Amino acid sequence: MALFDENSTIVPAPRRRVRRGTLAGIWALTVALVALLALTFLPSSFVIQQPGPVFNTLGTVTGADGDEVPLISVDGADTYPTAGTLDLLTVQVLGNRERTPTWFELAMAWFDSSRAVLPLDDVFPQGQSTDERNQESAVMMVDSQKEATAAALTELGYDVKAMVRVYSLTEDSAARGLLQPDDIVRAADGIPVADTAELRDIINSADGAPIELTIDRDGQPLTETVTPRQSIVDGESVWLVGISTLHDYDFPIDVTIQLDDVGGPSAGQMFALGIMDTLTPGELNGGENIAGTGTIDASGAIGAIGGIRQKMHGALGAGADFFLAPESNCDEVVGYIPSGLRVFSVADLDDSLAVLAAIRDSADLDSLPTCR
């Protein structure tokens, strides 16, 4: 049987012409897809916040020489064995003014509940470089450690004396050549000062007149007279001597906290609890895995921090069962607690100790304050 007629001519079907409108649409879609793809790799004006490393204040960290050292060590008092964890949490920021995340990276973060997308200016204020931000964060960490030590030792009955220490001098400081970093300001015009606010009030009440400052330098008492300069700060006219200060303390025992490459004030609460557990018999946490966050001052008041949602995820990922959250952060906690983590609300060190006691004693946890 023949398959084809040798005398027949096969004529191919005519090709259908693509309509001009359809062709234009295809090109527009192609250009849009290419533009969208390119856009996903362009820098943005946002940064990404995500859970950072977790540190057990009762454990060890890697020191500058690479050896494992206690995160908290004490000299001058008896210390006791601990168990479980009292974790402090950190937050990592992906991006800075020099390099922001791409739109593709931002899109991935939007769909991850443990991460947050924030405007660049909220994290890196205009005019502040990454190095300046890191330096400011390092100062806050040092201050936080001192406040936590003061709160812990005061709670344990030690006599803690407050003082004002010079941290640095401004470029145009009126005190340049008179004061130095690490000077301790004991009095201003004969009036004892224990914190920066008291020193500031005395300087401004003099209305530009020279101020006689009584200082300690390397253990030696000195007196220097500084003439303040008028400046505008936040729209108000103030008198300044051109120094930045730390709220420091004279501690009866030596407490050393070693934690490199971590900044900010948010670990204060957990530093204080770690110090107390180290200095008291038994286990403050009942041997359980507990995490928390919050600033602290010498009086024991616990304050709000940033990135608490990311820190809750970090706590859960590190194996914590319980989380101590500042009461002032509760509006950011409700509705965002990861499954498997129990959160308690605390306003001061006494609240935190009450939570730990209940956990340690297997008491009724439902009666403790939580974020609602």
Side-chain angles (χ1 to χ4, degrees), residues 144-218:
S144 171
Q145 293 175 359
K146 294 179 183 298
E147 294 290 323
T149 302
L153 296 187
T154 300
E155 184 73 25
L156 292 174
Y158 287 92
D159 183 20
V160 176
K161 296 178 180 178
M163 57 187 179
V164 178
R165 184 183 297 275
V166 177
Y167 177 73
S168 64
L169 281 71
T170 61
E171 287 290 334
D172 59 346
S173 173
R176 189 164 295 279
L178 301 173
L179 300 184
Q180 299 177 9
D182 283 336
D183 284 350
I184 298 171
V185 182
R186 298 293 188 184
D189 281 346
I191 304 172
V193 294
D195 59 47
T196 301
E198 292 178 350
L199 176 60
R200 187 185 300 117
D201 288 345
I202 295 171
I203 292 171
N204 278 281
S205 64
D207 200 26
I211 301 293
E212 185 180 81
L213 298 178
T214 304
I215 63 174
D216 281 353
R217 180 177 297 161
D218 299 326

